[in-house]
Amino acid sequence: MPEPIPVADAAPDWLGWLPPRLVAIDVETTGLDRTDRVVSFGAVALATASLAAGTPEITCHYLIFDPGRASHPMAEAVHGYDDWLLRHQDPAGTHAGAVADLLAGADLIVAHNAAFDLGFLNRELAAAGLPPVAAKVYCTMEAYRRRGEKGRAALDAVCRRIGIARVGARHGALEDAWLALRAYLWLQACPVAVARPELAAPSNLRPAPPRPDGPLPPRS
């Protein structure tokens, strides 16, 4: 009697409604106004087919920029980058093409309060002469509210609901992108957890020279 042919395990139901490649993003900015600029950009790209094997394949992108202006004190308290360090970084336009290519290759872009993040990113892309992001966008904040969950829908509150949290009090763009990714997978009933990536410094970070005594000199 011939040996039975083994049948491959069927893909889990939740994998069927996930896009092949999603990119979760976050930006930190100098403030909340339309005239404010992006200070840092974080992204976690996930090949969702790897979730079925229980070993998620992610790629991290973390960049810091000179916004050309000082941050609002409340914004600086959130992201932790002072003006002396930032004024020694590349302007966002230097890396705008790479960011645009990353997002153009996504089947889905995920962000918490996506209108905020994409609004700032699109303004930086426009300043660099590039078109706005065209990929489909999923806002985890809006999706969480649609579920009818009680309480606030801020990222910290959603993460408490899931049972995760950021490492410290500061908001890093890469870590917040990962938190948005975890929120998305939870909202999609995916049982596989993506481990927190190594929270290293931005890949393009330049060390600043010693800070001068007294007030900082005017920006050139």
Side-chain angles (χ1 to χ4, degrees):
M1 184 175 181
E3 292 291 330
I5 299 173
V7 178
D9 292 338
D13 291 341
W14 49 263
L15 189 60
W17 56 74
L18 297 183
R21 185 172 186 271
L22 63 87
V23 179
I25 65 167
D26 182 76
V27 298
E28 299 300 326
T29 66
T30 59
L32 303 178
D33 294 336
R34 290 180 59 85
T35 56
D36 280 297
R37 303 292 299 275
V38 173
V39 166
S40 61
F41 166 80
V44 180
L46 169 67
T48 57
S50 65
L51 293 167
T55 54
E57 297 175 7
I58 64 171
T59 306
C60 297
H61 307 265
Y62 192 16
L63 298 168
I64 188 171
F65 311 121
D66 174 11
R69 59 180 295 176
S71 296
H72 186 282
M74 292 181 66
E76 184 176 319
V78 170
H79 59 65
Y81 295 119
D82 68 15
D83 187 45
W84 182 245
L85 176 69
L86 291 176
R87 65 173 66 187
H88 291 90
Q89 309 308 314
D90 297 326
T94 303
H95 300 276
V99 171
D101 289 345
L102 170 68
L103 300 183
D107 297 298
L108 183 68
I109 295 172
V110 173
H112 199 79
N113 193 3
F116 177 88
D117 296 281
L118 270 297
F120 273 93
L121 274 180
N122 282 332
R123 286 193 287 274
E124 295 292 353
L125 293 175
L130 296 171
V133 174
K136 185 178 179 181
V137 177
Y138 183 101
C139 179
T140 51
M141 184 175 72
E142 293 179 359
Y144 186 80
R145 286 172 172 163
R146 287 196 299 269
R147 279 176 60 101
E149 297 284 345
K150 296 181 180 179
R152 299 172 63 241
L155 184 57
D156 283 351
V158 175
C159 289
R160 282 194 296 272
R161 174 70 174 82
I162 300 172
I164 58 176
R166 62 173 49 87
V167 170
R170 292 273 169 80
H171 290 225
L174 179 61
E175 186 177 29
D176 280 11
W178 171 77
L179 292 172
L181 173 62
R182 291 292 303 269
Y184 169 79
L185 295 175
W186 178 78
L187 288 162
Q188 300 303 313
C190 171
V192 181
V194 176
R196 190 189 310 268
E198 180 184 358
L199 300 178
S203 60
N204 65 330
L205 177 68
R206 294 177 177 174
R211 184 185 177 100
D213 295 331
L216 294 181
R219 280 177 166 270
S220 58

